[in-house]
Amino acid sequence: ELQQKVEEAEGLKMELQMLETERVRLSLVEEKLMDVLQLLQQLRDLNISKRALGKILLSTLESCHDPQPGKAQLLEVLNTLQQELAACELLHKQPMEQAQSPRSLSNPLVISC
């Protein structure tokens, strides 16, 4: 009976570690998604064309072609999309005063790799 309790405790401990790992992964995905959404908001405020956004998205998807889609590919696509959006010429051409429009989010843009 004691051995069974020890095995149960070990099983629960392993399950807790897996849940914590998944929580961290989801947190990273959430942060990256927020970065991407902030960049999209900035580009929308600059009236970027739908065609230009479409090209950025297609370029991202083409560069992330993995035969086995999954959790790792999701983060790779978000990372690549963030880099593509951040590299958009329109974001770098504008004066700094326009970059801080009232509709922009209050948090500064954080790009993490």
Side-chain angles (χ1 to χ4, degrees):
E1 193 174 312
L2 184 59
Q3 179 65 26
Q4 185 180 2
K5 294 286 185 186
V6 168
E7 288 174 4
E8 280 182 31
E10 287 297 319
L12 290 173
K13 186 177 178 182
M14 204 178 316
E15 188 176 333
L16 183 61
Q17 286 177 339
M18 290 182 348
L19 287 173
E20 181 63 19
T21 300
E22 184 67 7
R23 186 193 68 76
V24 169
R25 187 192 70 79
L26 287 174
S27 179
L28 291 172
V29 168
E30 181 183 25
E31 286 177 29
K32 192 58 63 176
L33 190 54
M34 287 301 296
D35 291 345
V36 167
L37 290 174
Q38 285 179 339
L39 286 168
L40 286 171
Q41 176 73 37
Q42 287 179 346
L43 290 170
R44 188 190 73 179
D45 290 347
L46 296 171
N47 296 322
I48 189 169
S49 71
K50 291 178 184 178
R51 182 179 204 142
L53 279 176
K55 285 182 180 181
I56 291 171
L57 181 57
L58 288 175
S59 170
T60 298
L61 293 175
E62 286 174 7
S63 67
C64 295
H65 62 285
D66 186 356
Q68 296 178 336
K71 296 176 182 177
Q73 186 188 17
L74 173 66
L75 194 54
E76 179 189 352
V77 170
L78 282 174
N79 282 329
T80 305
L81 181 57
Q82 179 199 21
Q83 291 167 1
E84 292 279 336
L85 290 171
C88 183
E89 291 177 13
L90 195 55
L91 285 175
H92 302 291
K93 285 183 179 178
Q94 69 175 21
M96 282 305 277
E97 307 86 50
Q98 283 183 330
Q100 301 300 327
S101 68
R103 289 175 36 184
S104 293
L105 300 176
S106 60
N107 294 346
L109 178 63
V110 177
I111 298 178
S112 57
C113 296

